[in-house]
Amino acid sequence: MRIGIYGGTFDPIHFGHLLLAESCRDACRLDRVIFVPARVSPHKLDVVIAPVRARLEMLELALAGFPEFRVSRVEVDRQGPSFTVDTLRHFRTEVPDDELFLLMGADSVTDFPRWREPQQILELATLVVVNRARAVPDLSALADLDTTGHPPLSVPMPGVDFSASDIRRRVQEGRSVRFQLPRPVEHYVRDKRLYAAS
Ligand code: ATP
């Protein structure tokens, strides 16, 4: 099987995330996309994030009814910062015969060389990079790495300028986030008073 691994904070999951996953599923003929919420993102150590349980419940609400999309607890159940290389090693062991694709937005590939063990990541999976709004993936960020084993792929998606941090800010200001995230997730945010002004 061809498996997409899609890591993020998903605080909250929004239509930009879902469209990224669907664009990659379609373009790369993926059998499954596994959303992997980070317990603690090494890239966001200074940001206060919603509890794991809330982020998992929002993912479950957003992905219900889409059997190709799954959620993995592998990072939330592991102590310490969530390093992608550890996650890919986990899936390599769990599904040794499957082909792994690591999905990310254009902003993430720019940071990628500073991730833990980027060369190992490129040996374990094919990078699939999607434009973020109008930011086109710049694969030259990978120039100092050896990508000959698994050449990275660039996948276009209709530019959607949504971001979780902007959604959290809007909720805090009491502004509308309708049509930026699935309705059940919007209701969850409201009912649990996530991101509300304290
Ligand atoms: P924040 O605004 O808090 O930084 P985010 O919306 O970027 O959050 P993350 O969970 O950090 O959400 O993102 C996970 C991955 O999804 C990253 O690789 C990011 O580039 C990608 N991504 C998020 N939003 C979009 C979007 N609107 N279009 C394309 N890619 C996106």
Side-chain angles (χ1 to χ4, degrees), residues 6-15 17 35-41 44 46-59 132 162-171 177 180-181 185 188-189 193-196:
Y6 182 24
T9 314
F10 305 116
D11 186 25
I13 182 161
H14 54 71
F15 281 128
H17 296 132
F35 288 65
V36 187
R39 181 169 184 271
V40 181
S41 167
K44 298 185 181 176
D46 54 340
V47 180
V48 178
I49 56 175
V52 160
R53 182 160 152 214
R55 292 184 289 121
L56 281 169
E57 285 177 351
M58 290 190 284
L59 275 161
R132 180 155 190 171
F162 299 154
S163 82
S165 46
D166 186 50
I167 289 171
R168 293 195 299 274
R169 197 172 315 117
R170 293 178 70 89
V171 170
V177 291
Q180 296 197 35
L181 66 182
V185 178
Y188 185 97
V189 168
R193 297 187 52 75
L194 290 182
Y195 320 125

Side-chain angles (χ1 to χ4, degrees), residues 88-147:
L88 290 174
R89 285 192 179 115
H90 162 87
F91 284 110
R92 186 35 67 245
T93 311
E94 187 159 87
V95 287
D97 299 327
D98 289 349
E99 203 174 337
L100 302 179
F101 295 79
L102 181 65
L103 318 184
M104 64 181 68
D107 53 318
S108 301
V109 77
T110 311
D111 293 340
F112 180 79
R114 287 178 290 282
W115 289 17
R116 178 168 288 196
E117 298 185 56
Q119 190 60 54
Q120 280 308 310
I121 294 178
L122 291 168
E123 321 271 310
L124 289 159
T126 300
L127 245 54
V128 181
V129 190
V130 171
N131 56 292
R132 180 155 190 171
R134 277 168 299 282
V136 179
D138 180 10
L139 297 184
S140 69
L142 309 174
D144 291 336
L145 295 160
D146 180 2
T147 56

